[in-house]
């Protein structure tokens, strides 16, 4: 289901991306032969060449960070670890169980690795 | 159980389900400790300690996986009755595979992978043990 949603979203994004440049804008800026277009007002120039690129950049930036906000904090090997320990399938009170050491070891083997 | 915000509720749920399934399939007891040693000892010592802290009876058939993010170590400790089913070689492979995931920042993925690998190498327990010879 998740895969399907992702694929559908991707297909729609591509379709919209392809359609927008074709539909919009072409006739509005067309210039006849021999006609000199009026110079662009300063406000409009700034709008098109400054404000618009910044706005588009911000939208892309927003979309880039969006998934991270939903996923929550992610572990980074180089960053400090300051979370509470989690013990799955362990005693109810971890600190208590560790503090009370039976000194009995029934370990058979094991292995280690680092990263 | 202590509550941490290192993993999302969904990830905790996924690890819990993987553990339950591994326990059911193998008849062993799988346990995962995610966090730095709470008594400040070295990861290996703490892993052995935590394994013993599961209780004498449970520890014998338990597989404890310690994931220590600050020390960047993963330690696997098997109980005395598990050792012949999950040998040190299988533990080493699982630890290596997990550390690969952890190095990429994927804690829950590495934990789930490790449990599954260890459970696979443990097989189905006494029910499926093949008799050799006559």
């Amino acid at each position: 289901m998740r895969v399907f949603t992702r694929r559908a979203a991707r297909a729609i994004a591509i379709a919209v991306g392809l359609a927008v440049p074709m539909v919009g804008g072409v006739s509005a800026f067309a210039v006849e032969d021999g006609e000199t277009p009026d110079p662009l007002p300063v406000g409009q120039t700034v709008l098109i060449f400054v404000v618009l690129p910044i706005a588009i950049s911000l939208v892309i930036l927003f979309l880039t960070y969006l998934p991270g906000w939903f996923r929550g904090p992610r572990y980074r090997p180089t960053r400090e670890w300051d979370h509470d320990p989690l013990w799955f399938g362990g005693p109810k009170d971890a600190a208590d169980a560790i503090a009370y050491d039976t000194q009995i070891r029934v370990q058979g083997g094991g292995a280690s690795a680092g990263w | 159980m202590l509550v941490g915000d290192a993993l999302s509720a969904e990830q905790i749920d996924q690890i819990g389900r993987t553990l339950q399934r591994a326990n059911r399939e193998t008849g062993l007891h799988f346990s995962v400790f995610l966090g730095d040693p709470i008594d400040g000892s070295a990861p290996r010592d703490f892993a052995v300690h935590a394994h013993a802290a599961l209780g004498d009876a449970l520890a014998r058939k338990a597989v404890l996986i310690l994931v220590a993010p600050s020390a960047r170590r993963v330690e696997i400790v098997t109980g005395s009755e598990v050792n012949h089913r999950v040998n040190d070689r299988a533990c080493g492979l699982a630890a290596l595979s997990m550390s690969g995931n952890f190095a990429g920042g994927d804690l829950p993925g590495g934990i789930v992978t490790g449990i599954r690998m260890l459970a696979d190498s443990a097989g189905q327990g006494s029910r499926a043990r093949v008799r050799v010879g006559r």
Side-chain angles (χ1 to χ4, degrees):
Chain A
M1 188 62 204
R2 263 172 148 182
V3 177
F4 174 77
T5 325
R6 204 178 296 162
R7 280 192 188 147
R10 200 176 293 159
I12 290 167
I14 291 170
V16 170
L18 289 175
V20 162
M22 290 180 178
V23 174
V26 178
S27 59
F29 294 107
V31 176
E32 294 290 320
D33 271 351
E35 187 188 349
T36 318
D38 297 329
L40 219 52
V42 179
Q44 231 171 339
T45 312
V46 170
L47 190 76
I48 290 171
F49 291 102
V50 180
V51 178
L52 211 59
I54 289 174
I56 291 170
S57 306
L58 286 177
V59 167
I60 292 171
L61 197 73
F62 173 74
L63 291 176
T64 312
Y65 278 102
L66 197 64
W69 292 334
F70 282 106
R71 261 206 301 267
R74 185 183 162 85
Y75 167 70
R76 302 253 180 248
T78 46
R79 278 200 209 143
E80 215 171 296
W81 177 266
D82 55 358
H83 300 292
D84 291 333
L86 266 169
W87 198 345
F88 298 89
K92 285 265 183 293
D93 192 334
D96 234 33
I98 291 299
Y100 175 73
D101 190 354
T102 54
Q103 296 294 337
I104 300 169
R105 297 283 184 265
V106 288
Q107 147 199 29
S112 324
W115 69 90
Chain B
M1 192 186 288
L2 295 163
V3 178
D5 55 352
L7 302 175
S8 71
E10 196 186 335
Q11 291 166 338
I12 289 172
D13 198 45
Q14 193 198 1
I15 293 171
R17 272 185 279 123
T18 311
L19 278 172
Q20 271 179 9
R21 206 174 140 192
N23 291 346
R24 203 173 52 231
E25 282 174 0
T26 61
L28 303 175
H29 180 79
F30 283 85
S31 179
V32 176
F33 189 99
L34 169 62
D36 297 319
I38 47 181
D39 57 359
S41 57
R44 185 75 207 169
D45 296 338
F46 181 76
V48 173
H49 194 151
H51 179 260
L54 293 173
D56 193 17
L58 200 57
R60 283 178 201 281
K61 60 176 189 117
V63 179
L64 182 109
I65 304 168
L66 168 73
V67 182
S70 285
R72 291 198 224 165
R73 297 289 300 174
V74 52
E75 302 282 349
I76 300 173
V77 179
T78 55
S80 52
E81 289 173 20
V82 188
N83 192 227
H84 66 282
R85 284 175 61 189
V86 187
N87 59 27
D88 291 358
R89 192 181 147 80
C91 290
L93 272 172
L96 200 65
S97 181
M98 292 172 83
S99 65
N101 275 332
F102 298 152
D106 187 8
L107 283 178
I111 291 169
V112 167
T113 304
I115 298 165
R116 282 192 185 145
M117 285 179 75
L118 291 166
D120 281 349
S121 64
Q124 291 191 327
S126 52
R127 275 184 300 144
R129 198 171 291 161
V130 180
R131 283 168 194 253
V132 182
R134 288 193 292 158

